[in-house]
Amino acid sequence: MKRRQFIYRLGVGSVTAVAGANVLQSCMKHDMSPDGQAYVSVVEPPFSQPLSIAKSVVNPANYPLVARQTLAPVIKDKNTSVLSFTSNSIANPLFRVDKGKQFSAQYTNQTGGKSNIHWHGLIIPAAMDGHPEATIPNGGSFQFTFPVNQRAGTYWYHPHPHGATARQAYMGLAGMFIVQDEEEQQLGLPAGEYELPLILSDKRISADGALQYNPSMEEVMTGFMGETVLVNGVAGPYHEVAPTVYRMRILNASNARIYNLGFGTGSSFTLIGGDGGLLDTPQKVSQVLLSPGERVDLLVDFSQFSQGKAFLRSEPFNEGGQAQGRQAFNLLSFGITKSAGSGFNLPTTLSTLTPLPAATNTRTFTLDMMETMAGHGSMGSMGMHRINQKVYDPARVDEVVKKGDTEVWVFDNSKGDEPHPMHLHGVQFRVIGRTGQRGVQPHERGWKDTVLVAPGEIVKIQMTFADHAGRFVVHCHNLEHEDDGMMLQFEIK
Ligand code: C2O
Ligand code: CU
Ligand code: CU
């Protein structure tokens, strides 16, 4: 069923039952437009705040990671109440861990509610993964200790308590986790001041500087979007660069907003990596579509811009359903004011991607809205976003996978009209096919943990469940969809 028809059929009387009193209130305030669209246009702030780059914490041992409530200068001259791992900032620690090392952090929850941390993209034991049911009560702590044994890449961390993931991540609890290895180091990629880790997230900020998080029912459908896009926790950042090659690791930590990233008409850049590290060969492109949860690793040569300035931008796109992709906007302003350092020669080969064994099983996951209200009785907390017509239930294991098996999973959004960035815990996969015109995208040619399944598309992935037994989840990384129940449990046995 299409979202529009769904909203029509629902009628006001059923709203309370389906979505709860909170949502009802905002529905009332909200104008429920008949086309069911909840796109929020981006408003560009003046690009006048310095870009802040998170402090690298290298190979941490027992790092004190305190999730707390604090005030941070998100917009100029205002103090915004946020959740953060850092006091007076939402620039959270950037962990850099060498492959083969052990990571450990002493986590303390001072968020005010139950919470935890999920290490997105890391292949670690189930007990360390931040499963949505493995939460820590407010005031409690937990010792995270795990070996880091995977390819170099740009991973990240965020809370994952079911039903509150969206709000807690939105309020500021997200950071980058970079794994480094020798293969990558040998490429001599731009580093130090020539490497920019960038975290994108959009917020709704009121005039007094407060962060709003109050999704209406339409916004549970579309996902919650804000008019202000923060880069590394700052609205309207500006950064001075030299006319040479920079490496950018970009994470889309937004709840629902998709970006079609680029540097403007006539410019190009080179993709070198995706979620799970380096691609086999560099890919020259002019745009890359990045959905929530995905990362991209790219090189951009600022000597191609003759005006002394450039912007990281988002261009219009067609893969966002009816609600997204209408608008072009700037995200980060660069002044090309510094003198050029040494040049950089791009190697023709970046890495070798180990081929996957043949799959012995295929599972299909149909992404859809609830088909019908009939037969569900009292809706209680049952969500509207489903996978295979099921809403997440922690008491139910939906799929059992044999450890060591290679499988193909098919995400079928052919009847849907919403984009779903689908994500698996516990593994990295390869994207082996996508129906429709766009096929497998250049940034999807390496290892991935999150893949955009646009409206109308069927996407196939393949992976080996080689490493850790236990319970993991597969879910949509549109965080409103996820909290609404668009998540299933699988167990590796
Ligand atoms: Cu980044 Cu289960 O999510
Ligand atoms: Cu994850
Ligand atoms: Cu979704």
Side-chain angles (χ1 to χ4, degrees), residues 358-379:
T360 52
N361 191 19
T362 299
R363 299 173 202 251
T364 299
F365 297 85
T366 304
L367 315 179
D368 208 352
M369 300 289 295
M370 184 167 46
E371 284 295 348
T372 167
M373 296 290 295
H376 292 284
S378 154
M379 296 307 298

Side-chain angles (χ1 to χ4, degrees), residues 43 58 75 145 151 165 169 177 179 209 228 232 245 283 350 405 443 478-479:
V43 179
V58 182
I75 54 172
T145 305
R151 301 181 86 223
T165 298
F177 192 117
V179 177
T228 304
N232 294 346
V245 179
Q283 305 285 316
L350 298 167
D405 274 8
H443 75 291
N478 175 314
L479 297 184

Side-chain angles (χ1 to χ4, degrees), residues 248 261-265 267 269 286 298 300 305 311-313 334:
M248 295 183 190
L261 299 173
F263 296 87
T265 319
S267 66
F269 57 94
S286 57
L298 61 87
V300 59
F305 306 104
F311 284 98
L312 174 66
R313 301 168 44 75
F334 294 99

Side-chain angles (χ1 to χ4, degrees), residues 96 98 152 179-189 278:
R96 281 182 195 267
D98 294 317
V179 177
Q180 315 179 132
D181 69 11
E182 266 163 32
E183 180 197 38
E184 185 182 21
Q185 236 116 69
Q186 269 163 20
L187 295 175
L189 295 166
L278 293 171

